[in-house]
Structures are given as structure tokens and as C-alpha cells.
Amino acid sequence: MDEKINKAAQWIKEAKYVVAFTGAGISVPSGIPDFRSPGGLWSHFDPWQVCSDWALQHNPKGVWEFLLEAVFMFNKAEPNPAHLSLAELERRGILKCIITQNIDGLHQRAGSKNVIEFHGGCTKFYCNNCGKNYFLNKFKELTKENIPWLCSKCGSIVRPDIVFFGEQIPLKTSFVSQEHCSKADLMLIIGTSGEVAPANTLPTMVKQNGGKIIEINLGETAYKSISDIRFNQGAEEVLPLIVSKIGGKD
């Protein structure tokens, strides 16, 4: 274990362009279960009924029942040592960006500045019809009695700035993510099993360009064949140990 920690720290220290790719697993220690796991939101919500382009049109109240529970859970959670470690690596000039599949905003609350939310995030909202923008302070006024949230301008449903099932990843998000991965000579994969496309193709891009992969994941994942160093442990334990071995960039 100590040898792997030291090796990972040395690789990160020597790398010229480090990118982190994170998923639900990094936020589990903060009290946000993976949506797909037992106790996760998909165990008592059908994603197509509450988090899809179809649901926005046909089940707006169900969408907002789900969103109230999800965003309340996100706001209650606090960044854990894994989030804080990545923010520290960025502060030291080592980590160039985080590409996250998470919509919980914990990377930003931990202090990370360059965060690409591949599936969007739950801190900004807009009307699904006219595009009028709304912010989190307005969301906090919502209760089960006054949902769905309707636009004050046109009366259509207001939605969070996330990618719902059936929708495409915004072209700009996809392009910027791929641009970072094309430059990366090292990627940290943290808390993602590699099941969700097209995000799961990004690590392969780094590997095909000759970059190294350090994976920190509990259990089997789709990245076993491309990971150069793999930790089968929680990132909240491993990342602080790695960061403690790294100084700032020269």
C-alpha cells in the first residue's frame, strides 16, 4: 500500500497535465448514495418518470418531487476529504481540471475552480420553454405544496441545468472535456464504474494518447484493463495520503 501511494504521488508530481474524472462514488462518504445503489434515489423513483425529457412534458409534478428530495440531499451534504484533496491539488497548480459526472456541486464547495459538470448541476435553473434563468435562492422557497416550479414569464416548467435522460450532452461540454483529455498525460479516475456513456469514453482517450491512469474505486469497474495503478479503497482515505506525499509544482 505504501509503495503504491508513493508511486502514485511521484507520477502525479512528474506529470505535466493532470485531469481528474469523478463519479458518484466520490460523494458517497458525504452522505449522497449512488443513485443506482440500494437506498439511492432510483430505488424509489423511476428515472424515466422523473428525470427524462418525457417527464418534463408529461409528469412535471413527479419531476419536482424528485428534485426537491435530490437537491435537499445535496445541500445537506458536505465535501469530504477526497473533494478537498482534489481542490488542494488544483491550488498547488498540479490538477488542471475535474470532469465530473456528479450534479451535487460538492467539488465547487470544496474549493475547486475548474470543474466541468459533464451532466450539468443543480445550482442553476431555467425555464424549459422560454429559457428564463433562475437561481438556487428561488429554489429554496419551494415546498411540496407549490410544485411544480413554473416560469413567472411564460408559465412553463422550470428545470435544473442538468442533462435529463433522453437529452444530449451539450456540445461545448463534450468539446472542452475532450480537449482536456487530449492534453492529459495522467488521469485520476475516482468513484465511477464506467457504465454511463458517453462520459465513460474519456479515460480511454487519455490512455490512447499515452497517458497514465490512476484509478481509485471500490469494486470492479470497466477500467481494469487500462488502469496503471489501481486502489480498491475509498478515495476519502487514499487521496489525502497521496496528496501528503506531493509538494507544489516547481
Side-chain angles (χ1 to χ4, degrees):
M1 175 66 175
D2 287 344
E3 185 177 342
K4 278 208 297 186
I5 291 288
N6 289 333
K7 186 175 182 181
Q10 189 62 32
W11 281 10
I12 294 169
K13 173 73 173 175
E14 293 173 352
K16 291 181 171 55
Y17 207 98
V18 181
V19 172
F21 177 57
T22 70
I26 197 171
S27 294
V28 169
S30 294
I32 302 176
D34 184 333
F35 282 19
R36 293 174 175 78
S37 67
L41 287 171
W42 297 155
S43 63
H44 54 282
F45 286 106
D46 177 342
W48 189 254
Q49 294 291 325
V50 300
C51 195
S52 67
D53 52 358
W54 177 91
L56 283 166
Q57 299 297 327
H58 301 283
N59 186 28
K61 185 169 184 180
V63 168
W64 272 101
E65 286 173 347
F66 157 72
L67 288 172
L68 278 182
E69 184 167 337
V71 181
F72 175 78
M73 181 170 59
F74 299 158
N75 290 340
K76 188 171 66 171
E78 294 293 336
N80 66 61
H83 297 107
L84 297 171
S85 294
L86 291 179
E88 175 63 14
L89 285 178
E90 182 187 68
R91 189 189 69 77
R92 296 187 193 179
I94 293 170
L95 184 65
K96 302 303 181 185
C97 81
I98 297 169
I99 304 169
T100 187
Q101 298 169 88
N102 298 339
I103 60 174
D104 53 40
L106 288 179
H107 284 301
Q108 293 91 326
R109 285 168 57 193
S112 293
K113 306 296 184 189
N114 195 6
V115 180
I116 300 168
E117 294 180 308
F118 201 79
H119 296 140
C122 279
T123 58
K124 296 179 182 178
F125 304 83
Y126 65 93
C127 174
N128 198 48
N129 178 52
C130 72
K132 178 178 170 62
N133 291 315
Y134 296 88
F135 297 94
L136 194 58
N137 60 335
K138 184 68 176 174
F139 164 84
K140 291 177 181 178
E141 299 173 7
L142 297 177
T143 67
K144 289 184 178 180
E145 286 68 46
N146 61 3
I147 58 170
W149 184 359
L150 299 178
C151 177
S152 60
K153 181 178 179 182
C154 73
S156 295
I157 188 170
V158 175
R159 57 172 292 171
D161 189 16
I162 64 174
V163 178
F164 278 65
F165 289 97
E167 297 180 331
Q168 298 294 315
I169 303 297
L171 285 175
K172 182 179 179 181
T173 300
S174 182
F175 176 78
V176 173
S177 298
Q178 291 178 23
E179 188 175 35
H180 280 292
C181 289
S182 69
K183 297 176 183 177
D185 56 355
L186 189 147
M187 173 178 271
L188 296 163
I189 301 177
I190 305 163
T192 176
S193 61
E195 295 177 8
V196 178
N200 59 0
T201 62
L202 296 173
T204 303
M205 182 183 300
V206 175
K207 188 69 173 179
Q208 288 175 341
N209 288 336
K212 295 175 180 175
I213 304 290
I214 298 174
E215 182 184 2
I216 307 172
N217 268 319
L218 288 168
E220 292 294 315
T221 74
Y223 300 119
K224 183 177 180 180
S225 63
I226 66 169
S227 295
D228 298 291
I229 299 176
R230 187 176 194 281
F231 296 92
N232 187 25
Q233 290 160 280
E236 76 281 7
E237 301 172 9
V238 174
L239 269 176
L241 293 175
I242 293 174
V243 172
S244 71
K245 303 286 185 179
I246 305 172
K249 280 288 189 185
D250 297 331

